[in-house]
Amino acid sequence: MSERQLTGRHVFMIFAGAFGIIIAVNLALAFSAVKTFPGLEVKNSYVASQEFDVRRDAQEALGWDVSARHVGGLLILSITDDLGKPVEVTNLDAVLGRATHVKDDIQPNFEFDGTAYVAPMTLADGNWNIRMTAQAADGTEFNQRVILHVKR
């Protein structure tokens, strides 16, 4: 019986195959990353930067604290003032979605129950983001991304 030898051709094929796998995986991951997250926060960053300080100062002057939790099939978004009292806003627009992609984004139908904003919602485990925009009684716009961790 003849003994098989490791030749230069075999070594080249092993290296070429290994690097081919690495390159294919990197390309697949890069394509997936670009496809699922567009990376666009604002259409024109220069214009947004010109008003940033004014909007931030107005938002911070409200003294609001926002938190979210998911309990018993309900998504609860709590907005409190600097004294810890619940805040009822004049307008609330919120989008719930995963942090990594926008394909599962939904708009919860929040209703104010006197203490918080509540929406019936079934959520899978994991990390979620609520991107919310609320308007105060004085017209001040409040924007925040609220992180929600769901565990069962």
Side-chain angles (χ1 to χ4, degrees):
M1 194 163 166
S2 66
E3 192 175 310
R4 295 185 68 167
Q5 291 183 352
L6 182 63
T7 64
R9 184 176 186 182
H10 291 126
V11 172
F12 172 75
M13 290 191 317
I14 291 169
F15 274 104
F19 280 107
I21 290 171
I22 291 170
I23 291 169
V25 169
N26 282 336
L27 288 173
L29 291 174
F31 176 75
S32 178
V34 170
K35 179 181 160 197
T36 59
F37 183 69
L40 181 65
E41 291 290 329
V42 293
K43 291 189 186 296
N44 187 331
S45 60
Y46 177 75
V47 172
S49 72
Q50 299 304 300
E51 303 168 350
F52 178 81
D53 289 333
V54 173
R55 286 184 286 118
R56 183 200 57 216
D57 293 343
Q59 182 170 315
E60 287 179 352
L62 292 172
W64 290 358
D65 183 44
V66 180
S67 63
R69 63 188 188 280
H70 184 257
V71 180
L74 293 176
L75 178 59
I76 302 168
L77 183 66
S78 299
I79 305 172
T80 56
D81 63 13
D82 53 356
L83 300 175
K85 296 179 183 175
V87 174
E88 185 174 6
V89 299
T90 58
N91 185 32
L92 176 64
D93 182 37
V95 176
L96 172 71
R98 295 289 191 174
T100 54
H101 56 79
V102 296
K103 70 178 181 178
D104 295 330
D105 284 4
I106 51 175
Q107 281 192 292
N109 187 20
F110 283 112
E111 296 290 331
F112 188 67
D113 69 358
T115 58
Y117 287 88
V118 180
M121 188 75 49
T122 303
L123 297 176
D125 289 350
N127 294 329
W128 294 85
N129 283 334
I130 301 172
R131 295 179 304 277
M132 62 163 281
T133 300
Q135 189 172 18
D138 67 359
T140 302
E141 189 174 273
F142 184 89
N143 295 299
Q144 188 165 345
R145 180 176 55 96
V146 182
I147 298 171
L148 173 66
H149 300 288
V150 176
K151 293 182 191 176
R152 293 187 198 209

